[in-house]
C-alpha cells in the first residue's frame, strides 16, 4: 500500500484512488460474471502476472469492493465475491465498456 495518504477532494479523486490499477476494472467485471477463483481470474487476464493480480485483489478488498472466502481444505481454496458496494460499480463499468465499444469505431479498431 502507499505510504502517502491520498488527498480526496472530490468524487473523481475517490474513483481514481479506488480503481487505479491496470486490471481492477476487469477483475471486478470478471468476479461479477462468476470467475471467483484466482486461477480463473488469471486465465481471463493472461497479460497480468499472478503477483500483480494478487496485489490488485488485495487493494479491491481493502476498499471493500470485494470480499474473500478461504475454505479450510488441503491446498487452501480461495474465492472472491463482490460486496454490495462493489456491485454498485457494475452499471458504471458497463457504461464505460459501452462507451469504449462506441469509440472503437471512431479510432478504427
Amino acid at each position: 500500500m502507499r505510504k502517502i495518504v491520498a488527498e480526496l477532494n472530490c468524487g473523481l479523486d475517490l474513483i481514481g484512488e479506488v480503481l487505479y490499477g491496470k486490471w481492477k476494472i476487469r477483475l471486478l467485471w470478471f468476479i461479477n460474471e462468476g470467475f471467483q477463483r484466482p486461477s480463473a481470474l488469471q486465465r481471463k487476464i493472461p497479460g497480468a502476472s499472478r503477483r500483480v493480480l494478487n496485489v490488485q485483489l488485495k487493494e479491491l478488498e481493502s476498499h471493500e469492493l470485494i470480499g474473500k472466502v478461504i475454505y479450510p481444505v488441503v491446498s487452501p481454496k480461495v474465492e472472491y465475491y463482490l460486496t454490495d458496494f462493489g456491485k454498485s460499480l457494475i452499471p458504471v463499468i458497463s457504461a464505460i465498456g459501452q462507451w469504449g465499444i462506441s469509440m472503437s469505431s471512431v479510432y478504427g479498431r
Side-chain angles (χ1 to χ4, degrees), residues 69-83:
V69 177
I70 302 172
Y71 296 95
V73 294
V74 176
S75 295
K77 178 180 169 183
V78 175
E79 289 183 346
Y80 291 96
Y81 62 91
L82 289 181
T83 63

Side-chain angles (χ1 to χ4, degrees), residues 11-41:
L12 293 175
D13 290 340
L14 178 62
I15 291 168
E17 178 66 20
V18 171
L19 295 180
Y20 177 76
K22 186 172 183 178
W23 309 111
K24 286 183 180 178
I25 290 175
R26 289 183 189 182
L27 285 168
L28 290 168
W29 188 258
F30 291 140
I31 291 169
N32 183 61
E33 287 186 332
F35 299 93
Q36 296 106 354
R37 304 277 315 273
S39 57
L41 293 167

Side-chain angles (χ1 to χ4, degrees), residues 93-105:
I93 293 170
S94 179
I96 291 170
Q98 291 302 313
W99 179 83
I101 289 168
S102 69
M103 293 309 294
S104 64
S105 64

